[in-house]
Amino acid sequence: MKKRIEVYDGVIGIREKPGMYVGSTESEDGKMPKALIQLIREILANSTDEAIDGYGNLIEATLDEEKNLFILKDNGRGMPKGLGDDFSEVIDSCTKPHASGKFSDANYKNKGVTGTHGIGLKAVNALSKFFKLKAISKWYDKKGKFKGLEEYEIEFHINDVLNKKILNRYDINDLEEINSTSYKFEKEIIKTGTEVYFIPDDGFVNSNEDRKVFSDSKIKIDELKDLFKTSAYLTPSVTLKLNDEMWHYENGLRDFVNNQIEELSVIEGSDIDFDSDIDILGKSFNVSGSLTFTNEITEKIVSFANGVKTIHGGTHLKGFLSGITKAINEYLKDKKLTKDASVLKNGVSANHITQGLYVAFHTKIPGSILLFEGQTKETLGTKDAKTATEEVIYREMIKWLYDNPKVSAKIIENILESKKYADLEEKNKKASKKVKDTKSKTLGISAKFQNCSSKKASEKEIFLVEGDSASNIGRNAKFQAVLPLKGKILNTYGTHLSSALANEEISTIASVLGAGIGKAFEVDKVKFHKVIIATDADADGFHIRTLLITLFQKLFPGLIEKGHVYVTIPPLYVATAIKKGKVEKLFFYSESEKNKSKVDLSKYSLQRFKGLGEMNPSEVKEFLVAPETRKIKKLVIEDVASANKALKITMGNDVALRKAWIDSLEMDIY
């Protein structure tokens, strides 16, 4: 009879049930399994913990892509091996779950160490087909007396020690200490540190089943860059390397925020940096970070806890929002910065305050009370971290507000504008939900909107065209809709959001798309999966196209990123000639293409198209309507930072720079 109670020895439990410790081992959309990234995060965390505690300033990682071998080296204190010739400490660290030197606060004097669950190296060992440690650390004899330095290596396979040996020993009498991790030995500099080597297991969990350890064990270097870059922001005194790339940020999280807001419209003088210690119930915390207020609709709040990017926030994020809201409302009411009695009584919410706010903060918690929800550490659970973060943010913000009254007044003005915008946004969202068909009263401002009959958003497309003359395009009424635009729409770059929402043309576009607007925009609910900007191939058309791109990025966040916005590529010239009694037409899509043509155009009648209205129905069908013959480009903006830079370029005064940007966008041709 099979035993009803099974006991897993050593790291076998991690190997059998990795999801409990490091997340899913399944690959999604061709990306590395979450568990594989977590293994590398665990190794890196051990090195950054050393750096946070003041030991080491260089972390180097190398990926041998052919062997799928990952190597990480640091110049910290080196993992302790054990007394004398004993290897028990390093063996326990790699084979006994919940064996760690970080459970108490004794071994790491500074707040903020990450690895307090005692799982990291055990998980790497459990899920590797090759796992080796090499280190130079302090050497102690059997009685615990400091003797010098020793270099060792040890190789594991799950619970088994395959090889262990001491490579070198350096007597204390022959060493001259340079600093806590560097020693001079004769003419050589000996540096302590740890090296971890591992190859993820591409085989099966055990011999009794066909379940693989990882569905895809390949380490992909591009998916690790953000991890290393983020760690560099959190350890400003440390340089991190990953193969040929290197990251070092002297100003830490201020550099992080500055990189995010580089191309945004910021409130001058609103940079706030903080770094403060606080005691809560006898435990010492530290809260540090940087923030800047901008005039944008977008926001970015990034939280960290003990070196880990807490993607889903947690108690410290709640504390941050509570602290900044308390400070803003206290200052607003004390200075009576609004005549709105309701606001003076009830204040503004965190949602109003965070619009346009870019912040990165790091709460460091004593290891003995550090609690994450799950080993993958995406949510902080330490209760007292909320109190600590809230108190620090409140006292730092309230002091700054009173010390900077002019900038504070501008920030409050934007927050009040945000509240006004939120009210209009909600009103607009309710109106958009009422849009059922072209007869809806809410679309009276766009009575010339021509809807299509299909109910499937995935097959529907809408053409945004210039005026009535371009609206009769011979569309397929089943899946193609047309919205004529009344001239140039409002420039939303640098425009107050409430003003943008009050604009009829923008309100119409929001109603037609039917997925809200601004922060309330839900891109997955948009009614048309192809929004095609069909403007003329002239200066006015280019300007309208630029205004629409700006509008979508500003007030319909995600529409471009999700690949729903397209631009038509109509021909700029048509060359016509009669040859052998038949009409021959040649089309050119740019001045450059025409000039490079090897055809003798003197024998043709050359016409420059000014707009869709000048094309005959068959040409409109070929170049705009028919999916099999038309040319359209899908706009792809890789990330928010580059999108914001694009907005600045497109709406700036440098026309040549603007044109170059539009031409250089990464696009797919359909």
Side-chain angles (χ1 to χ4, degrees):
M1 178 179 178
K2 185 178 180 180
K3 290 183 179 181
R4 297 182 182 181
I5 303 297
E6 294 182 68
V7 178
Y8 293 131
D9 292 327
V11 298
I12 295 296
I14 301 174
R15 188 175 176 86
E16 291 284 346
K17 306 290 182 182
M20 295 173 58
Y21 301 93
V22 290
S24 173
T25 58
E26 295 296 316
S27 173
E28 296 183 10
D29 299 323
K31 294 185 177 294
M32 287 171 60
K34 192 173 184 179
L36 188 48
I37 294 176
Q38 184 62 28
L39 295 186
I40 293 171
R41 182 180 285 115
E42 296 283 357
I43 297 171
L44 180 59
N46 286 337
S47 296
T48 55
D49 283 349
E50 283 288 285
I52 288 170
D53 214 44
Y55 301 101
N57 60 4
L58 178 63
I59 300 172
E60 298 179 274
T62 304
L63 174 63
D64 184 328
E65 296 186 76
E66 185 176 343
K67 296 179 180 178
N68 205 30
L69 170 65
F70 186 83
I71 306 169
L72 188 134
K73 304 178 182 180
D74 66 46
N75 60 346
R77 288 171 291 183
M79 179 171 286
K81 170 187 65 61
L83 301 181
D85 294 334
D86 185 22
F87 279 77
S88 60
E89 288 187 30
V90 68
I91 292 173
D92 287 349
S93 294
C94 296
T95 61
K96 291 187 177 180
H98 309 297
S100 175
K102 303 177 186 178
F103 289 143
S104 73
D105 300 330
N107 293 330
Y108 285 82
K109 61 181 181 295
N110 289 331
K111 297 169 286 293
V113 296
T114 304
T116 59
H117 289 183
I119 292 297
L121 282 178
K122 272 72 71 175
V124 179
N125 178 20
L127 303 176
S128 297
K129 71 175 183 181
F130 173 77
F131 175 59
K132 182 176 78 171
L133 279 175
K134 187 176 179 181
I136 299 178
S137 58
K138 287 187 174 181
W139 162 33
Y140 296 89
D141 65 16
K142 292 180 181 180
K143 296 181 180 180
K145 182 179 179 181
F146 177 46
K147 299 289 289 182
L149 301 178
E150 63 181 351
E151 181 180 9
Y152 74 87
E153 68 176 23
I154 183 168
E155 185 179 340
F156 297 89
H157 180 63
I158 310 179
N159 289 327
D160 298 326
V161 176
L162 302 183
N163 178 45
K164 60 179 181 179
K165 57 185 174 183
I166 297 167
L167 303 175
N168 288 296
R169 276 180 172 161
Y170 305 92
D171 191 282
I172 187 62
N173 296 316
D174 299 325
L175 296 172
E176 178 184 342
E177 184 173 351
I178 299 173
N179 55 46
S180 59
T181 59
S182 298
Y183 298 81
K184 186 175 182 180
F185 176 73
E186 296 177 351
K187 294 182 180 181
E188 186 180 0
I189 301 297
I190 306 298
K191 293 186 177 183
T192 59
T194 304
E195 301 177 19
V196 180
Y197 301 73
F198 91 99
I199 299 175
D201 200 330
D202 57 358
F204 299 101
V205 172
N206 58 54
S207 58
N208 297 323
E209 57 179 300
D210 59 1
R211 178 167 54 106
K212 300 199 75 172
V213 176
F214 295 101
S215 64
D216 181 359
S217 63
K218 188 71 175 176
I219 299 174
K220 299 171 183 176
I221 196 165
D222 286 343
E223 294 184 40
L224 302 180
K225 291 178 182 179
D226 184 62
L227 173 61
F228 278 74
K229 188 176 183 179
T230 298
S231 295
Y233 282 121
L234 295 175
T235 53
S237 61
V238 180
T239 298
L240 283 92
K241 293 183 177 181
L242 177 60
N243 280 17
D244 296 331
E245 293 199 53
M246 181 173 68
W247 297 272
H248 181 94
Y249 299 103
E250 197 66 38
N251 300 308
L253 291 178
R254 169 45 59 191
D255 286 338
F256 177 90
V257 173
N258 284 347
N259 287 341
Q260 299 297 315
I261 64 173
E262 184 179 4
E263 302 296 341
L264 302 185
S265 172
V266 302
I267 298 177
E268 293 299 327
S270 70
D271 291 347
I272 305 172
D273 302 316
F274 48 92
D275 187 346
S276 183
D277 294 323
I278 186 171
D279 287 339
I280 303 293
L281 299 177
K283 293 290 185 179
S284 182
F285 294 76
N286 175 272
V287 182
S288 62
S290 296
L291 64 85
T292 297
F293 288 90
T294 76
N295 297 306
E296 304 293 323
I297 185 177
T298 54
E299 63 190 52
K300 194 177 187 71
I301 302 176
V302 182
S303 62
F304 301 90
N306 286 33
V308 175
K309 187 176 183 180
T310 42
I311 298 171
H312 300 306
T315 52
H316 59 330
L317 179 56
K318 293 177 181 177
F320 173 86
L321 295 173
S322 178
I324 196 170
T325 302
K326 180 181 176 182
I328 291 289
N329 278 312
E330 184 176 309
Y331 184 78
L332 185 158
K333 294 175 183 180
D334 181 49
K335 294 295 184 179
K336 294 182 173 57
L337 294 175
T338 179
K339 295 180 181 179
D340 189 326
S342 175
V343 173
L344 288 175
K345 179 182 178 181
N346 302 314
V348 292
S349 71
N351 284 339
H352 305 140
I353 293 168
T354 57
Q355 181 171 295
L357 179 64
Y358 280 70
V359 58
F361 73 93
H362 188 192
T363 300
K364 298 177 184 177
I365 304 156
S368 57
I369 61 169
L370 179 63
L371 175 64
F372 287 105
E373 296 179 8
Q375 175 63 16
T376 53
K377 304 172 182 175
E378 294 178 342
T379 309
L380 181 67
T382 304
K383 181 180 178 181
D384 292 336
K386 178 184 183 297
T387 306
T389 307
E390 179 179 352
E391 181 59 30
V392 167
I393 296 302
Y394 166 75
R395 73 188 188 193
E396 292 284 340
M397 276 301 304
I398 201 70
K399 180 179 184 302
W400 187 91
L401 289 167
Y402 279 98
D403 288 346
N404 300 271
K406 289 185 179 180
V407 184
S408 298
K410 175 59 179 173
I411 290 171
I412 298 296
E413 179 187 346
N414 270 23
I415 291 170
L416 295 174
E417 175 72 19
S418 172
K419 186 179 187 308
K420 181 181 177 182
Y421 160 62
D423 294 341
L424 282 169
E425 190 178 60
E426 183 62 27
K427 181 180 178 181
N428 191 284
K429 187 175 181 181
K430 289 179 180 178
S432 70
K433 289 181 178 179
K434 296 178 183 178
V435 180
K436 299 298 182 182
D437 53 39
T438 56
K439 297 180 181 179
S440 172
K441 292 181 180 180
T442 60
L443 280 180
I445 55 174
S446 58
K448 295 180 181 180
F449 167 60
Q450 303 170 44
N451 207 345
C452 55
S453 59
S454 174
K455 302 299 181 183
K456 296 180 181 179
S458 60
E459 72 176 14
K460 291 166 65 178
E461 54 189 50
I462 180 170
F463 296 99
L464 304 182
V465 300
E466 294 182 58
D468 299 339
S469 64
S471 62
N472 187 22
I473 60 174
R475 66 195 174 97
N476 185 322
K478 179 181 178 182
F479 67 94
Q480 291 176 325
V482 180
L483 177 62
L485 301 173
K486 295 188 289 186
K488 294 179 181 177
I489 66 167
L490 180 71
N491 177 2
T492 52
Y493 186 76
T495 301
H496 273 306
L497 296 169
S498 57
S499 300
L501 283 172
N503 179 269
E504 287 188 358
E505 199 81 342
I506 293 174
S507 179
T508 295
I509 292 173
S511 296
V512 169
L513 294 180
I517 191 170
K519 293 176 72 174
F521 181 68
E522 299 177 81
V523 69
D524 292 336
K525 294 184 179 180
V526 72
K527 292 183 177 180
F528 299 88
H529 279 199
K530 278 191 174 72
V531 179
I532 304 172
I533 301 172
T535 55
D536 295 343
D538 57 16
D540 282 344
F542 177 83
H543 192 198
I544 294 171
R545 178 173 65 173
T546 303
L547 289 169
L548 284 168
I549 292 172
T550 304
L551 169 68
F552 291 140
Q553 185 60 28
K554 188 92 171 180
L555 292 183
F556 300 92
L559 195 66
I560 294 178
E561 287 87 343
K562 290 284 187 177
H564 293 317
V565 180
Y566 294 75
V567 176
T568 59
I569 314 175
L572 189 60
Y573 291 96
V574 57
T576 308
I578 305 295
K579 291 189 175 183
K580 297 181 180 180
K582 294 183 179 180
V583 177
E584 180 181 302
K585 290 186 178 182
L586 302 176
F587 295 95
F588 302 99
Y589 290 85
S590 67
E591 291 282 356
S592 175
E593 185 178 348
K594 174 178 70 71
N595 294 336
K596 291 179 180 178
S597 173
K598 296 180 180 180
V599 177
D600 183 1
L601 294 178
S602 64
K603 297 180 180 180
Y604 288 76
S605 172
L606 191 65
Q607 177 189 358
R608 189 182 194 279
F609 286 120
K610 290 184 178 180
L612 296 172
E614 294 188 4
M615 292 185 184
N616 62 47
S618 64
E619 290 171 341
V620 173
K621 181 176 181 180
E622 179 180 358
F623 298 118
L624 178 65
V625 174
E628 62 275 10
T629 57
R630 70 187 180 188
K631 288 186 179 181
I632 62 175
K633 295 179 180 180
K634 179 169 67 176
L635 300 184
V636 178
I637 302 180
E638 292 297 333
D639 53 53
V640 174
S642 63
N644 287 325
K645 183 176 182 180
L647 292 186
K648 184 174 182 179
I649 293 172
T650 55
M651 302 320 301
N653 296 322
D654 192 330
V655 177
L657 185 62
R658 180 162 61 244
K659 186 178 186 304
W661 175 79
I662 289 290
D663 291 341
S664 67
L665 279 174
E666 180 184 342
M667 300 172 177
D668 297 325
I669 297 180
Y670 286 72

